[in-house]
Amino acid sequence: MASRTGSVESSAKARVVLLTLSAGQFLMALDSSVMNVSIATVAEDVGTTVSGIQGAITAYTLVMAMFMIPGGKVGALIGRKRAFLIGCCIYGAGSLTTALAPNLPVLLFGWSFLEGIGAALILPAIVALVAGNFVAERRPAAYGLVAAAGAVAIAVGPLIGGIATTYFSWRWVFAGEVLVVLGILLLARRIADAPIGERRRIDLVGVVLSALGLGLFVYGVLRSDEWGWFQPKPNAPSWLGISLVVWLMMAGLLLIWLFLRWEARLVEQRREPLVDPALLQNKQLTGGLTMFFFQYLVQMGVFFVVPLYLSVALGLSALQTGARLLPLSVTLLAAAVLIPRFLPDVSPRRVVRLGVLALLAGAVVLMAALDADAGAEVVTVPLLLIGLGMGALASQLGAVTVSAVPEEQSAEVGGVQNAVTNLGASIGTALAGSIMIASLTSSFLSSVEQNPAIPESVKSQATVKLQSGAPFLSDAQLEAALDEAGTSSAVTQAALDANAAARLDGLEAALAILAFAALLALFFTHRIPTTQPRSAEP
């Protein structure tokens, strides 16, 4: 029987504890979606490009992925509650820095680094604190409510970002996060600390190997649009005639392999590993982690691509863009909350498969709906399907992974789970962005080459200048640049037509890779259990 040590005794206290932990989960998820509708505005305000903000978004999730597992171990050393509170303080400092950021480097330090480190302490601690504050029979509902808070943040993030950007400033979002952090710190005194057991040292070698491995792999993906996936672009770094992207990804995978071998050696020597390799032999756990990876890869790819279509290709404001994303928010929330409530004994595998199919259908329908004459309304039905799929997955995967191991390993699983989800989010954003830019560039140059109205000298200049990738520009941005360059009206119109067609080609290519990822995920759903899981016994 589970211990009741530190469990919540009164319903009033239970509500406060749940509110506090859910608020922490809400903040961590909010930063993954709140700025996607305001990418162009943020880029202009801090003097950078869309790619620069894409890098900041990706770096935030990458930092979390790199340090999530060590963050869980820090909690084992100093206490889960203390790790949670320190993480909140670091996160709040990052939010304040971001709100005041005058340029991209300061924004990267506040948003990507400080907030990422804070989240790496907070998220694993939340998993353990739920277990330490609620008796066994109440934990599934508690985990579900905390997970729902994350779903709410992803759902309402675009609308919050749109309202703030339209009527105030995107900076107010991060200023508001500081206030929420202060509220969490005030309420956190009612949280009972989770038992931490024997205090052991952190495996520093494992920390370095895992962080470098994940970092090199994702950094390679990030640079693929500038350096080329396999064939190096002109002036891009290469080795043996192959783009450095390939070597970075291979080096990352090698380091991850070495990390796993090192952890296995520590277990053989009866020393404390950063991650117990035996966890990776747990079919239910690895099945849940794999689906988490694919869910966040597709999810964050969609949250990067669709707002760009609405805000740049169609020229909608940040508020209008957020409003157009609301259908996704509605079905995501409905599925995440209603499926566990009305179908408590449904097969998790069936729900997960239907959720993945909904993601696939949404991506394919949206890809088919995009054309030169399409308006903002074409995203409604696809987003309803994508939101439904996200919510269905969110309703099952948390319980699948947490119940796959004994209670004392819940924080360790929490660290691994959050590392996997943030790795998926990081790769999804980077992959969608790089594929989109590569396709846009190829399509734009092809259209320019085939247009007789454009002089050969202009074609040559375009080919040379766009070797590293064409920027994702609105018609107004491109027209302003061409006017400044003094091009003729015929050349300007031809370039605008080519850009409009190339934007759609880029968006369709990004959606195609996301649809492929959703299809690939179906091959791993057999590892999800067919019956609702219960907490594993030691």
Side-chain angles (χ1 to χ4, degrees), residues 172-187:
W172 284 100
V173 173
F174 294 95
E177 288 185 352
V178 176
L179 297 178
V180 175
V181 167
L182 292 175
I184 291 174
L185 294 174
L186 288 174
L187 295 174

Side-chain angles (χ1 to χ4, degrees), residues 20-88:
T20 307
L21 298 178
S22 296
Q25 187 78 26
F26 180 92
L27 276 185
M28 302 306 101
L30 184 68
D31 264 11
S32 299
S33 64
V34 70
M35 284 294 103
N36 283 348
V37 296
S38 310
I39 289 176
T41 303
V42 178
E44 183 179 357
D45 200 14
V46 298
T48 186
T49 62
V50 167
S51 297
I53 302 304
Q54 175 196 347
I57 294 173
T58 305
Y60 168 66
T61 53
L62 174 58
V63 169
M64 284 197 290
M66 290 174 63
F67 295 104
M68 197 68 68
I69 295 172
K73 287 296 181 181
V74 168
L77 286 175
I78 66 174
R80 310 298 185 186
K81 181 176 179 180
R82 184 177 297 175
F84 177 77
L85 295 176
I86 293 174
C88 286

